[in-house]
Amino acid sequence: MSLDPVQVMKGQDPLPKTCPSASNGDSKASWDDSKDIHENVGSTKKPKPPKPENAVTIAVSSRVLFRTEKEQKVFEQKGIEEYLRYQVEHENEPFAPGPAFPFVKALEAVNSQLRELYPDSEELFDIVLVTYNHAHVGIRLINTINYHNLFIERFCMTGGSSPIGYLKAWHTNLYLSADAEKVQEALAEGIAAATMFMSEKQIEVSETQLRVAFDGDAVLFSDESERIFKAHGLDKFFEHERENENTLLDHGPLKGFLEVLGKLQKKFYAKGHRLDCPIRTYLVTARSAASSGIRALKTLRAWGLEIDEALFLAGAPKGPMLEKIRPHIYFDDQMFHVEGAVEMGAIAAHVPYGIAQKYLHKKSTNTGK
């Protein structure tokens, strides 16, 4: 199976049951269809957003937060002017949720619990909506955000320009996009980033606990060990890991995001919520536990990072495990594993980093990675 970012696949149920009247561009549902909902949203007092320097900033592209494939076709087939006209004409029709939507809702659920425990703290998730769109499209996006009762106050509408400079100004901790080139650009600037994909089927995820799953090599860790395997094979990889089990792995592009998740987890632990913490993290790696797992675990411990669950699969497919975990997002550097996750209905994101990017079209057998 070949995936395009935020591709809509045959058989997918386009709308969660909780949002029956949202539109992906094909429906005629409108803002007026849910007048009561909007009146309630308007009367709800929303909390003040935290200062960017204090927050965990998550920048999300409008194309992964919402379903915009119909609008994208208008742009590609008819050009920018017709696209803008179409958006204005349909600005009262809210977009349907995209692949990042459950993740953002889970972030907001964590924020609600943090505010209850720490009313004066600004150590919260802060979501920034990033879009290449012209400001004309902002009205439809604001309508959609209010329709879905999301708390997103910060927008970055670049009118076709690259958003990467703005991401640095926002102190962005994670950037999620449908544009693989911009994701690579963000990674090159030291910003944790990934390209998101829409699955044909989408498994239900928790509404009260944020679950984030990570691959190891070239995601949390550097691609040092993966390079050994690609150059010299599996036996040399195992030998290298045994010889270097007490040598820490270098950091990968998503290490910083795991760090900030851990920092927020500790705030819940301090209030006696270790066992029912609303943030749970997972390491899902094709490494073997006995032959190459010890180095990964020692590296995490030396970094002062806790992973709630670690799954060493020894080359077994990751999809079935992710189906059981039901993460709000899973990060992997290899499209082979992203495709396997998507086939099982998991929400997956590709981190285009490291030596594996030279092997994107080769579905080789899994290794210790």
Side-chain angles (χ1 to χ4, degrees):
M1 177 179 68
S2 177
L3 296 182
D4 294 323
V6 200
Q7 173 182 348
V8 180
M9 302 179 182
K10 184 178 179 181
Q12 178 186 344
D13 180 4
L15 305 177
K17 294 179 180 179
T18 56
C19 304
S21 59
S23 169
N24 67 355
D26 296 318
S27 166
K28 293 184 182 296
S30 73
W31 187 259
D32 297 330
D33 293 335
S34 55
K35 182 177 179 182
D36 292 340
I37 294 177
H38 297 95
E39 288 176 351
N40 290 337
V41 169
S43 62
T44 301
K45 183 178 180 181
K46 292 186 177 181
K48 182 180 179 181
K51 295 182 178 66
E53 60 269 24
N54 298 329
V56 177
T57 301
I58 311 297
V60 183
S61 164
S62 60
R63 287 179 57 197
V64 297
L65 183 57
F66 303 123
R67 295 271 302 277
T68 63
E69 54 273 9
K70 175 67 178 296
E71 290 73 17
Q72 189 67 18
K73 286 182 180 178
V74 172
F75 172 75
E76 292 171 355
Q77 296 173 3
K78 298 183 179 180
I80 181 65
E81 296 303 325
E82 184 61 31
Y83 169 81
L84 291 174
R85 185 180 302 109
Y86 179 92
Q87 291 282 33
V88 172
E89 290 174 353
H90 294 79
E91 64 185 19
N92 289 325
E93 298 176 12
F95 295 113
F101 189 90
F103 177 62
V104 169
K105 291 293 287 185
L107 297 179
E108 294 188 346
V110 172
N111 276 355
S112 294
Q113 296 185 61
L114 282 169
R115 287 189 176 98
E116 289 180 5
L117 296 174
Y118 300 92
D120 299 323
S121 176
E122 288 197 328
E123 289 183 290
L124 301 162
F125 292 111
D126 188 21
I127 298 106
V128 178
L129 184 67
V130 177
T131 176
Y132 295 115
N133 275 304
H134 190 279
H136 282 328
V137 185
I139 293 175
R140 189 176 186 190
L141 290 170
I142 292 170
N143 283 346
T144 300
I145 285 169
N146 289 333
Y147 173 84
H148 291 295
N149 199 23
L150 296 174
F151 180 58
I152 302 178
E153 298 290 356
R154 305 193 200 277
F155 274 36
C156 185
M157 293 178 280
T158 68
S161 300
S162 173
I164 304 304
Y166 296 113
L167 297 181
K168 297 179 74 173
W170 287 116
H171 307 283
T172 300
N173 298 97
L174 177 67
Y175 173 48
L176 300 175
S177 177
D179 189 329
E181 291 185 1
K182 287 297 178 284
V183 165
Q184 290 177 321
E185 189 178 338
L187 289 170
E189 292 293 330
I191 300 169
T195 311
M196 291 203 74
F197 295 86
M198 177 79 78
S199 60
E200 180 176 353
K201 61 177 182 178
Q202 194 163 319
I203 54 179
E204 293 184 4
V205 293
S206 173
E207 296 181 356
T208 58
Q209 184 181 62
L210 170 65
R211 299 177 186 176
V212 182
F214 300 88
D215 181 29
D217 297 275
V219 176
L220 291 179
F221 314 123
S222 73
D223 67 340
E224 165 204 331
S225 299
E226 182 70 11
R227 287 179 178 274
I228 297 295
F229 166 74
K230 296 298 185 186
H232 304 290
L234 189 58
D235 289 341
K236 188 66 176 178
F237 166 81
F238 287 141
E239 178 184 340
H240 176 267
E241 292 306 290
R242 285 193 296 269
E243 292 176 351
N244 291 277
E245 70 174 42
N246 292 316
T247 302
L248 300 184
L249 289 158
D250 200 359
H251 67 86
L254 271 293
K255 177 202 172 189
F257 183 54
L258 177 60
E259 284 179 329
V260 295
L261 290 178
K263 185 177 180 180
L264 293 180
Q265 281 181 309
K266 289 176 181 178
K267 292 174 73 72
F268 287 103
Y269 300 167
K271 296 289 188 177
H273 292 285
R274 176 177 283 272
L275 297 180
D276 61 345
C277 181
I279 303 173
R280 193 162 185 83
T281 56
Y282 303 79
L283 172 65
V284 182
T285 174
R287 280 178 176 256
S288 303
S291 57
S292 57
I294 192 168
R295 189 181 184 195
L297 293 178
K298 284 185 175 181
T299 297
L300 289 171
R301 185 171 65 186
W303 287 346
L305 299 180
E306 295 183 28
I307 282 281
D308 295 301
E309 299 188 30
L311 284 73
F312 293 92
L313 303 184
K318 297 181 179 182
M321 297 297 104
L322 293 167
E323 184 183 26
K324 299 300 181 184
I325 293 171
R326 298 174 179 266
H328 292 87
I329 193 166
Y330 166 63
F331 298 99
D332 203 297
D333 68 304
Q334 295 197 44
M335 282 302 301
F336 179 92
H337 295 306
V338 172
E339 290 176 356
V342 167
E343 287 174 354
M344 302 302 294
I347 303 170
H350 179 231
V351 182
Y353 175 85
I355 190 66
Q357 307 320 303
K358 295 183 179 181
Y359 300 82
L360 284 176
H361 303 293
K362 296 182 180 181
K363 288 190 177 183
S364 58
T365 55
N366 293 333
T367 68
K369 193 197 148 302

